[in-house]
Amino acid sequence: MLMANPTVLRTLVERYEMLHGLTEGSEEVDPHVRQQLQDTVYTLCVSTGTREIGPALTAAHAHMARADYVLDDVDDTLKKNAA
């Protein structure tokens, strides 16, 4: 399965968290904000091959962590080669 670029996933997760924080516990939510949240949830689910936000967030965090690990490993290798 294709997975979105980790930077894209990080942006989507941050956007979801921000919008979710604005709507959580609020009975009156601006319809524009609610639509943005729904669009973000949909995009996260499609980007991670899931159908619900919980598994989408789990998959996104796991993919971002793997990407961070690979980047750290590449940085370490470059530093060793430069020395």
Side-chain angles (χ1 to χ4, degrees):
M1 177 185 84
L2 292 176
M3 182 69 77
N5 181 294
T7 303
V8 171
L9 289 175
R10 187 167 284 110
T11 300
L12 287 168
V13 169
E14 289 171 357
R15 181 178 176 85
Y16 169 79
E17 290 171 348
M18 187 263 306
L19 292 168
H20 183 36
L22 290 174
T23 61
E24 190 175 32
S26 299
E27 291 182 25
E28 271 307 301
V29 177
D30 181 335
H32 182 70
V33 172
R34 186 178 309 280
Q35 185 62 52
Q36 287 182 11
L37 178 60
Q38 290 173 349
D39 292 346
T40 303
V41 167
Y42 173 81
T43 304
L44 262 169
C45 288
V46 169
S47 298
T48 57
T50 59
R51 294 177 183 254
E52 296 180 10
I53 190 60
L57 290 170
T58 299
H61 284 289
H63 186 62
M64 291 184 301
R66 282 190 302 274
D68 289 343
Y69 175 78
V70 168
L71 288 176
D72 288 344
D73 193 39
V74 168
D75 286 343
D76 291 344
T77 302
L78 291 173
K79 287 176 186 174
K80 286 178 187 175
N81 290 338

